[in-house]
Amino acid sequence: MSELSREEIRERFTSATNFNEIFDAFESAINQKIDDIELYRLLFWNDSLQIDEIILFGEKLAKEFPYNAYDVYMWMANVFEAVFASRDNFEHSLLYYQKAASVNPAIPDPYLDACDCYDPDLNIPPLESLVEFVKRGLEHVQNKKSLCSRLSYLYHLFGDEDLSEYYRVKADEAGEPPSP
C-alpha cells in the first residue's frame, strides 16, 4: 500500500465509514511517524467506529508514541463519556481516566473528570471504584483540595456522612484553591 498524504489521512479519519479504509489510514499515519494528536482526535470522533475499534487505535497509538499516551487516554475517556454514555458505558471512561493517571499521576484532571461521569441513578461507574481511584490520586497530586472535595461529595452520595465530613475538613485544611 502506498502512503497516504496527511490530507488523505485526515479525510478518512473524519468521513470514512469502512473500517478497512480507516485502518489503512491509521497504519499509514503510524508508518509515517505522524504523532500529531490533533489528527488522531479526528479519528476517535469518527462515529462509525465501535468501542473495540477505538480501543485498538488508542492503545496502538499510545504504544507507538508513549509521550502522547496521557493525551490519548484522556481523549479516549472523553469520547467514551460523550459518545457511549447513552449505552451506560462509563466503565470504559473510568478505565481510560485510570490509564491517563498512571501515565501522569500528579495531574488531577483524570481523577476529577472520572468523577464527573458518575451517574448516581445507575451507579455507573461503580461508586466504590471512583472512590478508590480518587484516593489513589491523593498520593500523587499537589492540589489535594479538589480531590478531597470530590471524595467528600462521593462519600455523601454513598451515605457515609462521617467520611464525607472527614474529607470536607481535609479539603478546608488544604487551603488551596480547587482546580476549575
Side-chain angles (χ1 to χ4, degrees):
M1 176 183 102
S2 63
E3 296 298 337
L4 299 172
S5 71
R6 191 179 279 253
E7 192 51 44
E8 290 170 314
I9 293 168
R10 180 182 309 281
E11 179 63 29
R12 285 192 186 183
F13 281 1
T14 57
S15 61
T17 57
N18 179 288
F19 176 77
N20 291 330
E21 285 181 36
I22 298 168
F23 185 79
D24 289 344
F26 182 77
E27 277 194 323
S28 182
I30 295 294
N31 289 339
Q32 294 177 59
K33 304 281 188 229
I34 298 173
D35 65 353
D36 178 7
I37 192 68
E38 296 302 319
L39 179 65
Y40 295 104
R41 285 180 178 170
L42 298 172
L43 167 68
F44 294 139
W45 282 114
N46 185 316
D47 60 2
S48 71
L49 294 177
Q50 300 299 310
I51 290 172
D52 58 335
E53 295 167 341
I54 293 172
I55 292 170
L56 170 86
F57 290 133
E59 292 289 342
K60 175 72 171 168
L61 188 58
K63 183 178 178 186
E64 289 292 322
F65 307 111
Y67 49 87
N68 282 337
Y70 175 83
D71 290 326
V72 169
Y73 293 146
M74 285 296 287
W75 200 255
M76 289 174 69
N78 286 318
V79 168
F80 289 135
E81 183 178 349
V83 176
F84 297 101
S86 63
R87 300 182 206 160
D88 301 328
N89 214 319
F90 290 119
E91 285 89 357
H92 281 93
S93 293
L94 178 59
L95 172 65
Y96 283 94
Y97 285 129
Q98 289 171 330
K99 286 185 173 233
S102 71
V103 173
N104 276 331
I107 298 175
D109 295 346
Y111 310 104
L112 298 173
D113 290 355
C115 292
D116 291 340
C117 73
Y118 178 67
D119 183 334
D121 294 331
L122 300 173
N123 193 33
I124 298 174
L127 192 55
E128 299 86 2
S129 300
L130 274 177
V131 166
E132 289 308 311
F133 178 50
V134 177
K135 285 169 77 175
R136 283 194 309 270
L138 281 176
E139 299 170 14
H140 303 284
V141 299
Q142 289 187 349
N143 178 3
K144 296 188 185 318
K145 180 174 183 131
S146 58
L147 294 188
C148 287
S149 293
R150 290 298 173 98
L151 281 169
S152 174
Y153 176 69
L154 292 175
Y155 276 115
H156 171 74
L157 291 176
F158 214 33
D160 189 332
E161 294 306 323
D162 290 338
L163 281 173
S164 177
E165 179 64 15
Y166 172 79
Y167 282 105
R168 188 196 61 72
V169 169
K170 293 288 261 185
D172 290 345
E173 289 172 353
E176 302 162 8
S179 63

